Amino acid sequence: QVQVVESGGGLVQAGGSLRLSCAASGSFFYINFMAWYRQAPGKQRELVASITSGGNTNYADSVKGRFTISSGNAKNTNDLQMNSLKPEDTAVYYCKVEGAAGLRRNDYWWGQGTQVTVSS
């Protein structure tokens, strides 16, 4: 069974840092990319950062220079280092994994989300 699990959310003051982690477990044949999305109350879910299996990264303009996505030490994991956090970064952060597992090819899986709250 495939599972995507996020960890590392919490409450931090503006200017502080948090590190989120995502782990994809189960029988993945391959993973094309892993990405972080976030959704604030009343807003649409938006892409924050992504990393391909080859290590290519992409960031939303709003987080460039502050957030860094990287492959984790364990297989099928990644970390999102968030620095200089702002109140507008407050949201539920979701990890998305795109790849193949079971009978599904080039499909995607979501984690349950982790809350990040930045106080002013």
Side-chain angles (χ1 to χ4, degrees), residues 6-10 12 16-22 36 66-73 77-83 85 93 114-116:
E6 305 99 336
S7 60
V12 65
S17 298
L18 279 175
R19 189 176 185 88
L20 305 182
S21 295
C22 174
W36 287 93
R66 300 188 298 122
F67 291 12
T68 302
I69 189 170
S70 60
S71 296
N73 291 328
T77 65
N78 79 82
D79 299 309
L80 183 68
Q81 178 66 41
M82 305 185 296
N83 299 329
L85 283 162
Y93 283 69
T114 185
Q115 177 71 46
V116 171

Side-chain angles (χ1 to χ4, degrees), residues 25-67:
S25 62
S27 301
F28 280 96
F29 297 115
Y30 59 83
I31 288 179
N32 291 325
F33 69 84
M34 300 178 78
W36 287 93
Y37 285 71
R38 65 186 181 188
Q39 188 167 19
K43 294 188 177 181
Q44 288 190 332
R45 192 172 296 190
E46 63 175 359
L47 175 67
V48 175
S50 65
I51 184 166
T52 69
S53 58
N56 294 319
T57 59
N58 182 50
Y59 297 93
D61 288 343
S62 59
V63 306
K64 281 181 181 176
R66 300 188 298 122
F67 291 12

